[in-house]
Amino acid sequence: MFSFTLLSKMVERMVSLSVGIMLSTALLHALPEAFDSGADTHKLFATLLAGLLAFFLLEKLAILRHSHHHEGDGHHHAHGHDAREAGKSGWMILIGDGMHNFTDGILIAAAFLANPELGIITGLAIIAHEIPQEIGDFIVLLNAGFSRRRAYVFNLLCSLMAVAGGLIGYYTLDQANGLIPYVLVFASSGFLYIAVSDLMPQMQRRATVRESVPQVLLIGLGVLIVVFLTGAH
């Protein structure tokens, strides 16, 4: 609700915070956890490559679909209009976040089955980690052209993927455990692609010192938030 009321009025500033959160979530939390799992390194890198290419194709399809929709409509669209209207980064963040939440559900189920006390601690740690990430996702959805209500509803639906992951993890734990590293890597590829290909180029368009200093500080703050929470985890 904090992001719904206050932060939605500061979308341009908060995009920088989202970049810091997404990059550090992928590079300092999800990917190290995946590679420390003992899964085959070559397969994990192949999954990362496949994820980056998949999000590139998803973005390409969104752009082509939007271009076809407006082809010959006789209207002049301002610079950046197509990117906002297509909402390509919004749909990509929803897919990546849904995958990540699904994995969190599996992890919580595994922890509870191992030890109820460990399950509670793991659940609380994931909640603490997800709060800044979901705020970042909400801001990205607003930046992609979603209304506040629509962004909230889709973010909520993505969060419910954790419930699905928990149920599947509980009933098929042996098989699900083997998939966790690959789901983490695929979700990370989405965060990396969105931050580097969509959000950071937007920030580079405003290259004045007055704009750049807050951007750098907010990116750093996003990184520090994830470092602190994952350190506590």
Side-chain angles (χ1 to χ4, degrees):
M1 294 307 297
F2 178 65
S3 62
F4 192 89
T5 54
L6 177 62
L7 297 183
S8 62
K9 301 175 183 177
M10 306 164 55
V11 172
E12 290 190 5
R13 289 278 187 240
M14 299 311 297
V15 165
S16 302
L17 180 67
S18 302
V19 168
I21 290 173
M22 284 194 289
L23 288 178
S24 51
T25 295
L27 296 172
L28 302 180
H29 174 61
L31 287 176
E33 187 171 326
F35 280 90
D36 285 345
S37 67
D40 185 89
T41 301
H42 290 87
K43 290 182 179 178
L44 291 176
F45 273 113
T47 302
L48 181 62
L49 174 60
L52 291 171
L53 293 176
F55 281 100
F56 168 76
L57 291 174
L58 180 65
E59 180 182 36
K60 183 68 71 177
L61 289 172
I63 293 172
L64 290 173
R65 178 179 177 275
H66 181 72
S67 298
H68 176 72
H69 177 72
H70 285 287
E71 186 177 352
D73 64 1
H75 295 293
H76 171 72
H77 302 296
H79 177 71
H81 172 84
D82 285 355
R84 290 195 301 272
E85 289 298 310
K88 57 185 184 296
S89 62
W91 292 112
M92 287 189 290
I93 196 70
L94 287 171
I95 293 172
D97 190 36
M99 297 283 287
H100 192 270
N101 290 335
F102 182 81
T103 304
D104 283 343
I106 295 174
L107 292 173
I108 291 172
F112 266 105
L113 287 173
N115 185 322
E117 183 178 343
L118 176 62
I120 293 173
I121 294 172
T122 301
L124 290 175
I126 288 176
I127 288 170
H129 175 69
E130 283 295 314
I131 288 173
Q133 180 181 309
E134 295 301 332
I135 289 175
D137 293 347
F138 183 80
I139 297 301
V140 172
L141 293 177
L142 293 182
N143 187 65
F146 285 61
S147 67
R148 288 190 300 172
R149 184 181 298 276
R150 194 161 175 247
Y152 181 81
V153 169
F154 275 103
N155 222 18
L156 179 62
L157 291 174
C158 273
S159 297
L160 291 176
M161 288 296 292
V163 178
L167 291 172
I168 292 174
Y170 181 81
Y171 289 108
T172 60
L173 191 58
D174 291 336
Q175 296 87 344
N177 268 342
L179 293 176
I180 287 176
Y182 301 98
V183 176
L184 282 173
V185 169
F186 189 85
S188 297
S189 70
F191 293 147
L192 292 173
Y193 187 87
I194 293 162
V196 173
S197 76
D198 190 67
L199 300 182
M200 295 179 84
Q202 287 184 40
M203 294 161 57
Q204 296 287 44
R205 293 179 195 143
R206 298 182 291 273
T208 64
V209 174
R210 185 177 179 181
E211 291 287 343
S212 298
V213 171
Q215 288 176 350
V216 172
L217 292 176
L218 284 168
I219 290 174
L221 177 61
V223 173
L224 288 176
I225 289 172
V226 174
V227 168
F228 173 76
L229 291 175
T230 54
H233 185 280

